[in-house]
Amino acid sequence: MSATLDSELFCSFFNGAPFFSIPGRPYPVNQYYLEDILETSGYIVEEDSRYAMRSTSLGDWKRRREEKNHGVSGIGVGITGSF
């Protein structure tokens, strides 16, 4: 994932604002899902917790997880960052 913009269009929108080009190096961005973080950390959500998945949401989660593992993107909540 990256954030890019059309610098000419951006500057023209702000009435010809100056454009500065500062050389740098892009850093890789990894995408993590909440389920991955919970699994990695070993955190356990108690069954009676209001945050626990109910049977209907558990089925949806399993379906989304399978789709993610088979290369389908754009499903679920993502957390991005360079870790």
Side-chain angles (χ1 to χ4, degrees):
M1 297 182 145
S2 67
T4 58
L5 60 88
D6 179 347
S7 57
E8 289 181 24
L9 179 64
F10 185 82
C11 290
S12 67
F13 180 80
F14 290 102
N15 298 321
F19 174 75
F20 297 96
S21 178
I22 302 170
R25 181 181 130 192
Y27 290 93
V29 175
N30 299 319
Q31 188 168 2
Y32 297 96
Y33 291 84
L34 178 58
E35 293 85 5
D36 299 329
I37 294 170
L38 292 175
E39 186 177 323
T40 301
S41 69
Y43 182 81
I44 297 173
V45 178
E46 300 296 327
E47 276 187 45
D48 58 347
S49 168
R50 67 185 233 193
Y51 303 108
M53 289 187 189
R54 306 297 179 245
S55 59
T56 55
S57 61
L58 182 59
D60 292 340
W61 177 80
K62 285 181 180 178
R63 179 184 49 78
R64 286 193 308 264
R65 187 69 174 181
E66 294 235 343
E67 289 171 345
K68 176 189 169 228
N69 289 337
H70 287 32
V72 176
S73 63
I75 299 174
V77 176
I79 299 172
T80 59
S82 207
F83 298 95

